[in-house]
Amino acid sequence: MEVFHHSCLAMGTRFNLVIPGLSQSNGECLSRAVNSILNSEESRLSAYMEDSELSRINRLAPTTQQMVSDEMAAVLDFCQLTWEQTGGAFDAGLFRLKQNAGLVDDDFNGGWKNVRWNSPERLIHFDSNDTAIDLGGFGKGWALSKVIDHLKAEKLDSAFISFGESSITGHGVHPLGLNWQITISHPSTGVAALFELNNQSVSVSGLKSFNEDLSEKERSHIIRPQHPAFVEENRVVVVKSESPLVAEVLSTAVMAASDSQIKQILSNYVNDKIYVCEIDAPVFKCVSF
């Protein structure tokens, strides 16, 4: 059986797509379409590309209302909904804190609570100069959803996608008629768990590195909004969902959530499975209902 493999750099990491039974010529055509999707979403969602739509919003929204594109409106609708359903554990409005490496004054007033999003009119405004949007815990899942929609439109019913090795989708079934299987481990302890995917995705969140030579700033990348501060707990969170976007957002949210926020997340996302492995735990524990 022919197996087509496409690999490229996108959104600051590596994207890999494997499709069984696809010829090289058809695969090259598909690769161009996938690259176009990834580049288009990055040019919209990146907070680091100066000419992206999101960067324009971050520059101008603290002073004047900004009208956004229909696609960005859908992104902001999802951010608003997820902020509410996670009790604020997923907060896309803390980019200024990330830019300042987590160093904030006592009067820091950033975060989604200061985002005024008028969905019907597609207008956004920030009440605070400390507020700016970062879609780093969102973008890969959003782009994966777009790629999967394209695969479905092309009648491709079997594919395996790895986006930065932390966002993974098993589209359809394995060519042998079985579920796609992946193993995820805690990088410090080696504790591992097997996950089976059939039209499902997993997203993995944890500290970027456990090298003791690295500083706390280098090892931390997820912000706990309620303090606010970077998450320092040496744990791994895995979320399994039919939606790569939901998986991506929830893995970030659970890493940052308080106990009360965890309860709210579990009550609002009953069809999604959440697994946590702590530094001193022998297994990945499913914390979902």
Side-chain angles (χ1 to χ4, degrees):
M1 174 187 292
E2 283 189 283
V3 178
F4 178 76
H5 175 219
H6 172 61
S7 180
C8 66
L9 292 175
M11 295 185 172
T13 188
R14 182 157 292 280
F15 175 92
N16 284 286
L17 170 65
V18 177
I19 303 181
L22 186 66
S23 68
Q24 185 67 29
S25 59
N26 289 336
E28 289 175 357
C29 181
L30 177 69
S31 295
R32 290 191 290 271
V34 168
N35 286 348
S36 178
I37 292 170
L38 297 175
N39 291 335
S40 175
E41 297 309 320
E42 184 171 18
S43 69
R44 187 188 342 273
L45 304 178
S46 173
Y48 297 96
M49 296 174 65
E50 186 176 352
D51 57 350
S52 72
E53 183 175 6
L54 182 60
S55 291
R56 177 184 62 80
I57 292 170
N58 283 341
R59 284 195 303 270
L60 302 177
T63 56
T64 58
Q65 282 190 328
Q66 296 299 306
M67 180 170 285
V68 306
S69 66
D70 289 343
E71 193 76 7
M72 182 60 79
V75 168
L76 296 173
D77 281 343
F78 190 88
C79 287
Q80 177 71 34
L81 176 66
T82 309
W83 180 70
E84 295 169 357
Q85 291 188 330
T86 64
F90 180 80
D91 191 323
L94 294 170
F95 185 54
R96 295 286 182 244
L97 180 62
K98 186 173 291 188
Q99 287 180 306
N100 294 334
L103 301 175
V104 297
D105 297 326
D106 292 338
D107 59 351
F108 177 78
N109 194 30
W112 197 265
K113 66 182 183 296
N114 295 300
V115 173
R116 298 295 168 255
W117 167 231
N118 182 337
S119 180
E121 297 186 21
R122 294 192 290 118
L123 292 171
I124 189 168
H125 174 66
F126 301 158
D127 283 346
S128 164
N129 289 330
D130 288 336
T131 298
I133 296 174
D134 173 28
L135 297 174
F138 174 100
K140 287 188 297 180
W142 180 267
L144 266 176
S145 296
K146 298 291 184 181
V147 171
I148 293 168
D149 287 345
H150 184 75
L151 296 181
K152 291 177 179 177
E154 294 296 314
K155 310 299 184 185
L156 295 169
D157 56 7
S158 181
F160 183 82
I161 308 172
S162 174
F163 207 166
E165 299 184 350
S166 61
S167 297
I168 301 167
T169 293
H171 174 59
V173 297
H174 190 278
L176 296 180
L178 305 172
N179 295 333
W180 299 94
Q181 295 185 341
I182 61 170
T183 300
I184 297 171
S185 60
H186 192 300
S188 289
T189 66
V191 171
L194 177 70
F195 295 88
E196 296 191 343
L197 305 177
N198 185 335
N199 286 319
Q200 295 166 311
S201 298
V202 295
S203 177
V204 187
S205 285
L207 301 188
K208 281 187 174 180
S209 170
F210 301 97
N211 186 337
E212 293 301 324
D213 292 335
L214 296 179
S215 71
E216 293 297 305
K217 296 174 187 176
E218 291 173 306
R219 293 197 295 117
S220 304
H221 65 291
I222 296 174
I223 296 172
R224 178 170 286 117
Q226 57 268 29
H227 291 325
F230 282 109
V231 172
E232 299 295 344
E233 290 84 351
N234 194 344
R235 72 165 63 100
V236 173
V237 174
V238 180
V239 178
K240 180 178 176 180
S241 173
E242 292 182 358
S243 165
L245 179 54
V246 170
E248 181 89 1
V249 168
L250 289 190
S251 67
T252 300
V254 171
M255 276 291 292
S258 65
D259 290 343
S260 62
Q261 289 169 330
I262 290 287
K263 290 180 181 179
Q264 187 166 345
I265 290 169
L266 295 179
S267 66
N268 284 325
Y269 296 90
V270 295
N271 295 322
D272 305 296
K273 295 299 182 183
I274 301 171
Y275 303 82
V276 179
C277 186
E278 305 286 356
I279 183 66
D280 57 352
V283 295
F284 278 80
K285 178 182 178 182
C286 181
V287 299
S288 306
F289 293 124

